[in-house]
Amino acid sequence: MIQNKYDSQATHKSLSNALPSTSSNLSLKKLSYLSTSIVFALSILANTAQADTTGAEDYRAPTAVDASAPIAALSKLTSIDDAKSLKVTVPTIQEFKTKAGVPVMFVQTTALPIVDVDLRFNAGSARDGSISKDGFGIANMTATMLEQGSKSLDEDAFTRAVETLGINLGSSAYKDMFIVSLRSLSDDKHLLPAVDLMTQMVSEPTFNDEVLARNKSRLLVGLQQQKQDPGSLASIAFDKALYGSHPYAHPSVGTLESVPTIQKQQLIDFKNRYLVAANASIAMTGNLTLVQAKKLAEDITIKLSAGQAAADLPEPKPLTKSQHIHIPFPSTQTTVLMGQLGSKRATNPTAQQQQTNFAVGNEVMAGGDFNARLMTEIRQNLGYTYGISGSMNPMLARGPYQIGFSTRNDKARAAIDASLAVIDDTLEKGVTQDEIRLTKDNLKNSFPMGFASNAGINGLLGMMNFYQLPNTYLADYVNRIDQVTLSGVNKTLRDTLNPDNFLIVTVGQDDPWKGIEATTKTTK
């Protein structure tokens, strides 16, 4: 089956822009085209703070509380007085390079007999145009077909080998990156043949013509179905309008016009140009010694061509004025996606601190929980939507900042205006010290959840290695949170966001910009 690849590279809500996606679901096969805005919203809502439940039961006499004021009662819970400060021990990261010069980050974990490996290339769909002008979907199709046979094994034999070993082995293409991922038991009986299959995928794919034709037919059906998903329509239109001629403008899976033109030679050219040692990095987590990890990394990369590193992507240009796009769609609700050009992945301490400042401020304003200002006003007070949230998605070049929600058709304009009013009020008056304190505590307390599993650790390692971040990046995270100040947060929010120039995309029955007067603010 064809594996759909999604553009979302976003992440644990609790770590927001300071930490990215763990990519723990890279090997999942999906049969329908979920919209990136839905994926975005689900990822925002996925994480919650984890309470510290350790410690002995409190046998002191119960304290009388006012049942009519349950929030105030919290201050009378004497057990809270015994709570200890959270102490976080981040995984120990070991770094080395293979003989081919591929950088590796490795974390040894012995609790489970499992090994997770991510082989990442600077080779996402942003590179499609370098292979063929308007060749949208080449990277995605290459990733799909790596799983569908090698020179030694045809498609059926390759699939049987994967299933017999009981491993997870897959490949995915996103805007920035191309990932080949493996999860296997750590004993030689399973791991060695699993690595052999992984190297066959990358070095000896067949790109069978009949399989390619079948893939294109299935993908075209999916792209037609995508037209029935308002979230997908909004996301595609948003990227196209925000990025214009930039490589981030087109969907990673391709388009109805581009997919039929994809040829076998283009997949070969993409593989030979970008799936090379000079363009690669490895993350490895599991039940291995350092010696075993080094041997494994050599086995994975030994057949890779040396090649050349990919050129830097151009920087997109921000919009200079607000733009409204409406897509007619027969629905009782209107899907809204608004935002602007955001930031690129920070690689130096000063920029990382700025991104952490923004992450804290944005959590107060547009986080997915019910304490966020947008959620409180637009959902709770006004009743316009079940949920609204926004996040930054930094990439190699400047990624998007997006806020998304759905509402009744007749409330779309009012909900948009009310949302912009909340943003304007936040930028003008700033967030409060109490909001900052609670958000910092929440982020620090939920931080360990990012590396609570092998897959979580390996996803973070893969991100760090891909963006060439130091191995102290995780260890410094809590310190960056502690360095966040009220003035720093408010200044960063004002310096980053410009709602007067927001791009606003709506998909629904009625155009919110026609025949309805603004209820809160007139957008430009």
Short mmCIF file of all heavy atoms in Angstrom, two decimals, residues 375-427:
data_model
loop_
_atom_site.label_atom_id
_atom_site.label_comp_id
_atom_site.label_asym_id
_atom_site.label_seq_id
_atom_site.Cartn_x
_atom_site.Cartn_y
_atom_site.Cartn_z
N MET A 375 -8.39 30.03 23.64
CA MET A 375 -9.35 28.98 24.00
C MET A 375 -10.39 29.53 24.97
O MET A 375 -11.60 29.26 24.85
CB MET A 375 -8.63 27.79 24.60
CG MET A 375 -9.54 26.59 24.84
SD MET A 375 -9.95 25.68 23.33
CE MET A 375 -8.53 24.59 23.25
N THR A 376 -9.94 30.31 25.94
CA THR A 376 -10.86 30.86 26.94
C THR A 376 -11.88 31.79 26.30
O THR A 376 -13.10 31.69 26.56
CB THR A 376 -10.08 31.62 28.03
OG1 THR A 376 -9.21 30.71 28.70
CG2 THR A 376 -11.03 32.24 29.04
N GLU A 377 -11.41 32.68 25.42
CA GLU A 377 -12.32 33.67 24.84
C GLU A 377 -13.18 33.10 23.72
O GLU A 377 -14.41 33.25 23.72
CB GLU A 377 -11.51 34.86 24.32
CG GLU A 377 -12.34 35.96 23.68
CD GLU A 377 -13.26 36.69 24.65
OE1 GLU A 377 -13.10 36.49 25.89
OE2 GLU A 377 -14.14 37.45 24.19
N ILE A 378 -12.55 32.42 22.76
CA ILE A 378 -13.27 32.00 21.56
C ILE A 378 -14.14 30.78 21.82
O ILE A 378 -15.24 30.65 21.28
CB ILE A 378 -12.29 31.71 20.40
CG1 ILE A 378 -11.33 32.88 20.22
CG2 ILE A 378 -13.04 31.42 19.11
CD1 ILE A 378 -12.02 34.22 20.00
N ARG A 379 -13.68 29.88 22.69
CA ARG A 379 -14.48 28.68 22.99
C ARG A 379 -15.40 28.89 24.18
O ARG A 379 -16.61 28.72 24.09
CB ARG A 379 -13.56 27.49 23.26
CG ARG A 379 -14.31 26.19 23.54
CD ARG A 379 -13.39 25.10 24.06
NE ARG A 379 -14.02 23.80 24.08
CZ ARG A 379 -14.82 23.34 25.03
NH1 ARG A 379 -15.08 24.10 26.08
NH2 ARG A 379 -15.35 22.13 24.97
N GLN A 380 -14.80 29.26 25.31
CA GLN A 380 -15.55 29.28 26.56
C GLN A 380 -16.49 30.48 26.65
O GLN A 380 -17.68 30.34 26.96
CB GLN A 380 -14.59 29.27 27.75
CG GLN A 380 -15.27 29.26 29.11
CD GLN A 380 -14.26 29.12 30.25
OE1 GLN A 380 -13.27 28.41 30.11
NE2 GLN A 380 -14.50 29.83 31.33
N ASN A 381 -15.96 31.66 26.40
CA ASN A 381 -16.76 32.87 26.58
C ASN A 381 -17.74 33.12 25.43
O ASN A 381 -18.89 33.50 25.67
CB ASN A 381 -15.86 34.09 26.77
CG ASN A 381 -15.03 34.01 28.04
OD1 ASN A 381 -15.33 33.24 28.94
ND2 ASN A 381 -13.97 34.80 28.11
N LEU A 382 -17.29 32.92 24.20
CA LEU A 382 -18.11 33.24 23.04
C LEU A 382 -18.79 32.02 22.42
O LEU A 382 -19.77 32.16 21.70
CB LEU A 382 -17.25 33.95 21.98
CG LEU A 382 -16.66 35.30 22.41
CD1 LEU A 382 -15.75 35.84 21.32
CD2 LEU A 382 -17.77 36.30 22.73
N GLY A 383 -18.27 30.83 22.67
CA GLY A 383 -18.89 29.61 22.16
C GLY A 383 -18.82 29.46 20.66
O GLY A 383 -19.68 28.81 20.06
N TYR A 384 -17.76 29.99 20.03
CA TYR A 384 -17.65 29.94 18.58
C TYR A 384 -17.04 28.63 18.07
O TYR A 384 -17.22 28.29 16.91
CB TYR A 384 -16.79 31.10 18.07
CG TYR A 384 -17.46 32.45 18.13
CD1 TYR A 384 -16.71 33.61 18.29
CD2 TYR A 384 -18.85 32.59 18.03
CE1 TYR A 384 -17.30 34.86 18.33
CE2 TYR A 384 -19.46 33.83 18.08
CZ TYR A 384 -18.67 34.97 18.24
OH TYR A 384 -19.27 36.20 18.28
N THR A 385 -16.31 27.93 18.90
CA THR A 385 -15.60 26.74 18.43
C THR A 385 -15.39 25.76 19.57
O THR A 385 -15.44 26.14 20.75
CB THR A 385 -14.24 27.12 17.81
OG1 THR A 385 -13.62 25.96 17.26
CG2 THR A 385 -13.32 27.74 18.86
N TYR A 386 -15.15 24.50 19.23
CA TYR A 386 -14.80 23.52 20.24
C TYR A 386 -13.32 23.63 20.63
O TYR A 386 -12.93 23.21 21.72
CB TYR A 386 -15.08 22.11 19.73
CG TYR A 386 -16.54 21.74 19.73
CD1 TYR A 386 -17.25 21.58 18.55
CD2 TYR A 386 -17.23 21.56 20.93
CE1 TYR A 386 -18.59 21.26 18.54
CE2 TYR A 386 -18.58 21.24 20.95
CZ TYR A 386 -19.25 21.09 19.74
OH TYR A 386 -20.59 20.76 19.75
N GLY A 387 -12.50 24.12 19.73
CA GLY A 387 -11.09 24.20 20.03
C GLY A 387 -10.36 25.12 19.07
O GLY A 387 -10.68 25.17 17.87
N ILE A 388 -9.39 25.87 19.57
CA ILE A 388 -8.57 26.76 18.78
C ILE A 388 -7.17 26.74 19.36
O ILE A 388 -6.99 26.76 20.57
CB ILE A 388 -9.14 28.20 18.74
CG1 ILE A 388 -8.23 29.12 17.91
CG2 ILE A 388 -9.35 28.74 20.14
CD1 ILE A 388 -8.83 30.50 17.67
N SER A 389 -6.17 26.67 18.51
CA SER A 389 -4.79 26.65 18.99
C SER A 389 -3.87 27.11 17.88
O SER A 389 -4.23 27.12 16.70
CB SER A 389 -4.39 25.25 19.47
OG SER A 389 -4.53 24.31 18.42
N GLY A 390 -2.67 27.50 18.26
CA GLY A 390 -1.70 27.97 17.28
C GLY A 390 -0.30 27.56 17.69
O GLY A 390 0.00 27.40 18.88
N SER A 391 0.58 27.39 16.69
CA SER A 391 1.95 27.00 17.00
C SER A 391 2.90 27.41 15.89
O SER A 391 2.48 27.67 14.76
CB SER A 391 2.06 25.48 17.22
OG SER A 391 1.86 24.79 16.00
N MET A 392 4.16 27.46 16.24
CA MET A 392 5.24 27.73 15.31
C MET A 392 5.83 26.41 14.83
O MET A 392 5.97 25.46 15.60
CB MET A 392 6.33 28.57 16.01
CG MET A 392 7.46 29.03 15.10
SD MET A 392 6.97 30.44 14.09
CE MET A 392 7.01 31.76 15.33
N ASN A 393 6.19 26.35 13.55
CA ASN A 393 6.81 25.15 13.01
C ASN A 393 8.13 25.52 12.34
O ASN A 393 8.21 25.64 11.11
CB ASN A 393 5.87 24.47 11.99
CG ASN A 393 6.41 23.15 11.48
OD1 ASN A 393 7.28 22.53 12.09
ND2 ASN A 393 5.91 22.71 10.34
N PRO A 394 9.19 25.72 13.12
CA PRO A 394 10.48 26.12 12.54
C PRO A 394 11.10 25.00 11.73
O PRO A 394 11.03 23.83 12.10
CB PRO A 394 11.32 26.47 13.77
CG PRO A 394 10.72 25.68 14.88
CD PRO A 394 9.25 25.59 14.58
N MET A 395 11.72 25.36 10.60
CA MET A 395 12.37 24.38 9.74
C MET A 395 13.73 24.91 9.29
O MET A 395 14.24 25.87 9.88
CB MET A 395 11.46 24.07 8.55
CG MET A 395 10.14 23.41 8.95
SD MET A 395 9.14 22.83 7.55
CE MET A 395 8.44 24.35 6.94
N LEU A 396 14.34 24.29 8.28
CA LEU A 396 15.63 24.77 7.80
C LEU A 396 15.54 26.21 7.33
O LEU A 396 16.42 27.03 7.60
CB LEU A 396 16.14 23.88 6.66
CG LEU A 396 16.72 22.52 7.06
CD1 LEU A 396 17.07 21.71 5.81
CD2 LEU A 396 17.94 22.68 7.95
N ALA A 397 14.49 26.51 6.57
CA ALA A 397 14.14 27.89 6.26
C ALA A 397 12.96 28.27 7.14
O ALA A 397 12.44 27.45 7.89
CB ALA A 397 13.80 28.04 4.77
N ARG A 398 12.51 29.49 7.05
CA ARG A 398 11.46 29.97 7.96
C ARG A 398 10.17 29.19 7.75
O ARG A 398 9.62 29.14 6.65
CB ARG A 398 11.23 31.46 7.75
CG ARG A 398 12.41 32.32 8.13
CD ARG A 398 12.14 33.79 7.88
NE ARG A 398 11.06 34.30 8.73
CZ ARG A 398 10.63 35.57 8.68
NH1 ARG A 398 11.17 36.42 7.81
NH2 ARG A 398 9.65 35.96 9.48
N GLY A 399 9.70 28.56 8.81
CA GLY A 399 8.47 27.81 8.76
C GLY A 399 7.28 28.69 9.05
O GLY A 399 7.40 29.88 9.34
N PRO A 400 6.06 28.12 9.03
CA PRO A 400 4.86 28.92 9.25
C PRO A 400 4.49 29.02 10.73
O PRO A 400 4.79 28.13 11.52
CB PRO A 400 3.78 28.14 8.49
CG PRO A 400 4.23 26.72 8.61
CD PRO A 400 5.74 26.75 8.59
N TYR A 401 3.83 30.12 11.08
CA TYR A 401 3.10 30.22 12.34
C TYR A 401 1.63 30.18 11.98
O TYR A 401 1.16 30.98 11.15
CB TYR A 401 3.42 31.51 13.09
CG TYR A 401 2.56 31.66 14.34
CD1 TYR A 401 2.88 30.96 15.50
CD2 TYR A 401 1.42 32.44 14.34
CE1 TYR A 401 2.07 31.05 16.63
CE2 TYR A 401 0.61 32.55 15.47
CZ TYR A 401 0.95 31.85 16.61
OH TYR A 401 0.15 31.94 17.74
N GLN A 402 0.87 29.25 12.57
CA GLN A 402 -0.52 29.04 12.19
C GLN A 402 -1.42 28.92 13.40
O GLN A 402 -1.06 28.31 14.41
CB GLN A 402 -0.67 27.76 11.35
CG GLN A 402 0.05 27.79 10.01
CD GLN A 402 -0.06 26.47 9.28
OE1 GLN A 402 0.07 25.41 9.89
NE2 GLN A 402 -0.28 26.52 7.98
N ILE A 403 -2.62 29.50 13.28
CA ILE A 403 -3.70 29.32 14.24
C ILE A 403 -4.88 28.73 13.48
O ILE A 403 -5.24 29.22 12.41
CB ILE A 403 -4.11 30.66 14.88
CG1 ILE A 403 -2.95 31.21 15.73
CG2 ILE A 403 -5.36 30.49 15.74
CD1 ILE A 403 -3.20 32.62 16.24
N GLY A 404 -5.46 27.66 14.01
CA GLY A 404 -6.53 27.00 13.29
C GLY A 404 -7.73 26.69 14.16
O GLY A 404 -7.59 26.43 15.37
N PHE A 405 -8.93 26.74 13.56
CA PHE A 405 -10.16 26.34 14.25
C PHE A 405 -11.27 26.20 13.22
O PHE A 405 -11.12 26.56 12.05
CB PHE A 405 -10.56 27.38 15.30
CG PHE A 405 -10.91 28.75 14.76
CD1 PHE A 405 -12.22 29.09 14.48
CD2 PHE A 405 -9.92 29.70 14.56
CE1 PHE A 405 -12.55 30.34 13.98
CE2 PHE A 405 -10.23 30.96 14.06
CZ PHE A 405 -11.55 31.28 13.78
N SER A 406 -12.40 25.64 13.66
CA SER A 406 -13.60 25.55 12.84
C SER A 406 -14.76 26.14 13.61
O SER A 406 -14.81 26.07 14.85
CB SER A 406 -13.91 24.10 12.47
OG SER A 406 -12.92 23.56 11.62
N THR A 407 -15.72 26.71 12.88
CA THR A 407 -16.86 27.35 13.53
C THR A 407 -18.06 27.31 12.58
O THR A 407 -17.92 26.99 11.40
CB THR A 407 -16.53 28.80 13.91
OG1 THR A 407 -17.60 29.35 14.70
CG2 THR A 407 -16.32 29.66 12.67
N ARG A 408 -19.24 27.64 13.10
CA ARG A 408 -20.43 27.72 12.25
C ARG A 408 -20.23 28.76 11.16
O ARG A 408 -19.59 29.78 11.37
CB ARG A 408 -21.64 28.10 13.10
CG ARG A 408 -22.32 26.94 13.79
CD ARG A 408 -23.38 27.41 14.78
NE ARG A 408 -24.16 28.55 14.30
CZ ARG A 408 -25.05 29.20 15.07
NH1 ARG A 408 -25.23 28.83 16.33
NH2 ARG A 408 -25.72 30.23 14.59
N ASN A 409 -20.81 28.50 10.00
CA ASN A 409 -20.66 29.42 8.88
C ASN A 409 -21.04 30.85 9.24
O ASN A 409 -20.33 31.81 8.89
CB ASN A 409 -21.49 28.95 7.68
CG ASN A 409 -20.92 27.70 7.03
OD1 ASN A 409 -19.73 27.46 7.08
ND2 ASN A 409 -21.80 26.92 6.40
N ASP A 410 -22.17 31.01 9.93
CA ASP A 410 -22.64 32.36 10.23
C ASP A 410 -21.85 33.05 11.33
O ASP A 410 -22.04 34.24 11.60
CB ASP A 410 -24.13 32.33 10.60
CG ASP A 410 -24.40 31.49 11.84
OD1 ASP A 410 -23.64 30.54 12.10
OD2 ASP A 410 -25.37 31.79 12.57
N LYS A 411 -20.93 32.32 11.98
CA LYS A 411 -20.11 32.90 13.04
C LYS A 411 -18.65 33.07 12.61
O LYS A 411 -17.82 33.51 13.42
CB LYS A 411 -20.16 32.03 14.29
CG LYS A 411 -21.55 31.87 14.90
CD LYS A 411 -22.11 33.20 15.37
CE LYS A 411 -23.47 33.03 16.04
NZ LYS A 411 -24.04 34.33 16.48
N ALA A 412 -18.33 32.73 11.36
CA ALA A 412 -16.93 32.71 10.93
C ALA A 412 -16.27 34.07 11.06
O ALA A 412 -15.18 34.21 11.62
CB ALA A 412 -16.83 32.19 9.50
N ARG A 413 -16.91 35.11 10.52
CA ARG A 413 -16.29 36.43 10.57
C ARG A 413 -16.15 36.93 12.00
O ARG A 413 -15.11 37.47 12.40
CB ARG A 413 -17.10 37.43 9.74
CG ARG A 413 -16.51 38.86 9.71
CD ARG A 413 -15.11 38.89 9.10
NE ARG A 413 -14.55 40.23 9.16
CZ ARG A 413 -14.71 41.16 8.22
NH1 ARG A 413 -15.44 40.88 7.15
NH2 ARG A 413 -14.15 42.33 8.36
N ALA A 414 -17.17 36.71 12.80
CA ALA A 414 -17.10 37.14 14.19
C ALA A 414 -16.01 36.40 14.94
O ALA A 414 -15.29 37.00 15.77
CB ALA A 414 -18.45 36.91 14.87
N ALA A 415 -15.86 35.10 14.67
CA ALA A 415 -14.82 34.32 15.34
C ALA A 415 -13.42 34.77 14.91
O ALA A 415 -12.51 34.85 15.74
CB ALA A 415 -15.00 32.83 15.04
N ILE A 416 -13.27 35.07 13.64
CA ILE A 416 -11.97 35.58 13.15
C ILE A 416 -11.65 36.91 13.81
O ILE A 416 -10.53 37.13 14.30
CB ILE A 416 -12.00 35.71 11.62
CG1 ILE A 416 -12.07 34.34 10.95
CG2 ILE A 416 -10.77 36.48 11.12
CD1 ILE A 416 -12.34 34.38 9.47
N ASP A 417 -12.61 37.82 13.81
CA ASP A 417 -12.38 39.14 14.40
C ASP A 417 -12.08 39.04 15.89
O ASP A 417 -11.21 39.74 16.42
CB ASP A 417 -13.60 40.02 14.18
CG ASP A 417 -13.77 40.43 12.72
OD1 ASP A 417 -12.79 40.32 11.97
OD2 ASP A 417 -14.88 40.85 12.34
N ALA A 418 -12.80 38.15 16.58
CA ALA A 418 -12.56 37.99 18.02
C ALA A 418 -11.17 37.40 18.27
O ALA A 418 -10.48 37.79 19.23
CB ALA A 418 -13.64 37.09 18.62
N SER A 419 -10.75 36.48 17.42
CA SER A 419 -9.41 35.88 17.57
C SER A 419 -8.32 36.93 17.37
O SER A 419 -7.36 37.02 18.14
CB SER A 419 -9.23 34.74 16.57
OG SER A 419 -10.18 33.72 16.77
N LEU A 420 -8.48 37.75 16.33
CA LEU A 420 -7.51 38.81 16.08
C LEU A 420 -7.49 39.81 17.23
O LEU A 420 -6.43 40.35 17.59
CB LEU A 420 -7.83 39.51 14.76
CG LEU A 420 -7.63 38.66 13.50
CD1 LEU A 420 -8.19 39.39 12.28
CD2 LEU A 420 -6.16 38.34 13.30
N ALA A 421 -8.67 40.06 17.82
CA ALA A 421 -8.74 40.98 18.95
C ALA A 421 -7.97 40.44 20.15
O ALA A 421 -7.28 41.20 20.86
CB ALA A 421 -10.20 41.25 19.32
N VAL A 422 -8.06 39.14 20.41
CA VAL A 422 -7.30 38.53 21.50
C VAL A 422 -5.80 38.66 21.25
O VAL A 422 -5.03 39.00 22.16
CB VAL A 422 -7.70 37.05 21.67
CG1 VAL A 422 -6.75 36.35 22.65
CG2 VAL A 422 -9.13 36.93 22.16
N ILE A 423 -5.39 38.41 20.02
CA ILE A 423 -3.97 38.52 19.68
C ILE A 423 -3.50 39.96 19.84
O ILE A 423 -2.45 40.23 20.45
CB ILE A 423 -3.73 38.03 18.25
CG1 ILE A 423 -4.11 36.56 18.12
CG2 ILE A 423 -2.26 38.22 17.86
CD1 ILE A 423 -4.14 36.06 16.69
N ASP A 424 -4.28 40.91 19.32
CA ASP A 424 -3.91 42.33 19.45
C ASP A 424 -3.81 42.74 20.91
O ASP A 424 -2.88 43.45 21.31
CB ASP A 424 -4.95 43.20 18.74
CG ASP A 424 -4.80 43.19 17.23
OD1 ASP A 424 -3.70 42.83 16.75
OD2 ASP A 424 -5.78 43.52 16.53
N ASP A 425 -4.77 42.31 21.72
CA ASP A 425 -4.77 42.66 23.13
C ASP A 425 -3.56 42.07 23.84
O ASP A 425 -2.94 42.73 24.70
CB ASP A 425 -6.06 42.17 23.79
CG ASP A 425 -6.16 42.56 25.24
OD1 ASP A 425 -6.39 43.75 25.52
OD2 ASP A 425 -5.99 41.67 26.12
N THR A 426 -3.19 40.84 23.48
CA THR A 426 -2.02 40.20 24.09
C THR A 426 -0.75 40.95 23.72
O THR A 426 0.11 41.19 24.57
CB THR A 426 -1.92 38.74 23.63
OG1 THR A 426 -3.10 38.03 24.01
CG2 THR A 426 -0.70 38.06 24.26
N LEU A 427 -0.63 41.34 22.46
CA LEU A 427 0.57 42.06 22.04
C LEU A 427 0.64 43.45 22.66
O LEU A 427 1.72 43.93 23.01
CB LEU A 427 0.60 42.16 20.51
CG LEU A 427 0.67 40.84 19.73
CD1 LEU A 427 0.75 41.11 18.24
CD2 LEU A 427 1.86 40.00 20.18
#
